[in-house]
Amino acid sequence: MIALLMRDLRLAMRAGGGFGLGLAFFLIVTVMVPLSVGPQAALLGSIAPGVLWLGALLACLLSLDRLLALDWEDGSLDLLATAPLPLEAAVSVKALAHWITTGLPLVLAAPVLGVLLNLPLPGFKWVMISLLLGTPALSVIGTFGAALTVGLKRGGLLMSLLVMPLYMPTLIFGAEVARRGAIGMDIQTPLLMLAGISAASIALLPFASAAVLRINLR
Amino acid sequence: MSIWEYANPKKFITTTERVMPALWVAAVVCIVGGLIWGFFFTGDEVRQGATVKIIYLHVPTAMLAINIWVMMLVTSLVWLVRRHHVSALAARAAAPIGMVMTLIALATGAIWGQPTWGTWWVWDPRLTSFLILFLFYLGYMALWEAIEDADTAADLTSFLCLVGSVFALLSRYAVNFWNQGLHQGASIMRVGAVIGTDTEEKVNNVYFYPLMLCILGFVLLFVALVFYRTGTEIRARRIKALLARERVMA
């Protein structure tokens, strides 16, 4: 498992910008927002938590394409399926690698971009915490979407259509935590819901992803 | 005699074709009768005026939009557990109907909302979760279309339906939490409604009976449409099999 994780991480580091791509996309989205809604500081400050969450979600979505499709193309996915490692574990490790390469950098980059968007001071902590809790769910749900569409040529657009509705609860609770935190409201309920969604997704979705992957590899 | 007999495509087609004419007639009679009764023989509501009459379209379609997804969930499970092809095809046949019902419910809601709430659209929990449901239908149908091998498509869409149901339910409560809305609460499926008496929280009987007739009509229409479309799907698959055999023979 560790070998698989290290392999995926190395591949992401070395394969032409796979690692920084999500981050760069996150930056670009954040820069686009003031350009599109206008540079009023108060307005930006109030929409900053939502914008950061939407940017993180889109950056996550963008990198899902490479999660399984590359392994499918060169046949290493078949090897993984026949390896002694259960496919559920392999899928979980791949989701973990995806989170380390895209989710974690987003969490770390969010405060810097928060400055650009004039995020209120207490918001920094909650944006980071909500992203830290929410991005694992995004990775695991995304892995399910990637597993569904892995056998398709040009499945990327279809995958976005499938994954986006699944992302909605995570987005709602995550952005709500960040928004409430930024204006100093009580955040306990959405925070618990967000953590619950992440925990349940991590616990259950790898089984669905592995089952779907087996069907696709049949 | 068990319900699994109808998993045989031939048995399914012959039986449904025998009941379908009656279903069509009953559906049309109920819908036309309910709509005429509702539109012309009930008075206008005190506060809402004539706009209240949109419930005869809005309520049945909205109820079906949700319940069709539940039906797809059940048939998907049957397919995954017992591998009956008719079941998977029925789910496939139901999806576009569900999508159209969702669309009608959204459209009639918007048309009703404009004069009553003064806006076509608000980000209200019920409205928003219906929009999300619509997206789920779209994704489900797109996945069916995208995969060539029929059994693989049935398996994958079944899994999507399963996982999607959980997340659809979750979205329902997420949006509820995210924004408290304008839409009224449940006012039909209450104890008072089932036994047919007028109660405080229930729609008045004047509107209730034609509404029930409309709901019944729409459910019958849905059943007839599903039978019809499932039969079409079965035949389309047979044609494909015949063509494949012809190619092998030649």
Side-chain angles (χ1 to χ4, degrees), chain A residues 36-122:
Chain A
S36 61
V37 302
Q40 303 97 319
L43 177 65
L44 283 179
S46 63
I47 62 170
V51 168
L52 288 175
W53 252 92
L54 191 62
L57 190 148
L58 291 176
C60 230
L61 196 65
L62 185 76
S63 52
L64 287 177
D65 238 359
R66 9 185 356 120
L67 185 62
L68 295 169
L70 294 179
D71 286 346
W72 163 271
E73 276 164 18
D74 64 10
S76 43
L77 209 54
D78 297 273
L79 285 181
L80 272 181
T82 51
L85 192 67
L87 196 54
E88 283 83 0
V91 168
S92 310
V93 169
K94 285 205 140 302
L96 178 65
H98 176 258
W99 181 72
I100 293 176
T101 51
T102 56
L104 197 58
L106 293 182
V107 177
L108 299 175
V112 182
L113 299 181
V115 174
L116 290 180
L117 288 176
N118 196 33
L119 185 69
L121 202 54

Side-chain angles (χ1 to χ4, degrees), chain A residues 141 144 148 152 158 161-162 165-166 168-169 172-173 176 180 189-190 197 201 205 208 211-212 215-216 218, chain B residues 83 132 135-136 138-140 142-143 146-147 151-152 155-156 159-160 163-164 167 170-171 174-175 177-178:
Chain A
I141 297 168
F144 175 68
L148 269 178
L152 299 172
L158 176 65
L161 181 63
L162 297 178
L166 299 179
M168 250 168 238
I172 290 173
F173 286 117
E176 186 73 7
R180 288 193 177 195
T189 319
I197 289 175
S201 306
L205 269 177
V212 162
I215 294 165
N216 264 329
R218 196 164 55 194
Chain B
R83 318 295 293 177
I132 297 174
L135 294 176
F136 271 114
L138 282 186
Y140 180 88
L143 191 62
I147 303 165
D151 278 6
T152 311
D155 280 334
L156 293 180
F159 268 103
L160 179 67
V163 175
F167 278 88
L170 208 56
S171 307
V175 293
F177 167 83
W178 170 62

Side-chain angles (χ1 to χ4, degrees), chain B residues 9-50:
Chain B
K10 187 160 166 24
K11 172 105 180 159
F12 179 86
I13 285 190
T14 49
T15 316
T16 51
E17 273 182 356
R18 217 171 302 139
V19 295
M20 244 192 300
L23 270 177
W24 285 119
V25 172
V28 170
V29 166
C30 285
I31 292 177
V32 172
L35 288 181
I36 289 176
W37 183 358
F39 282 136
F40 299 113
F41 296 99
T42 60
D44 292 351
E45 211 261 342
V46 183
R47 272 165 300 168
Q48 299 175 7

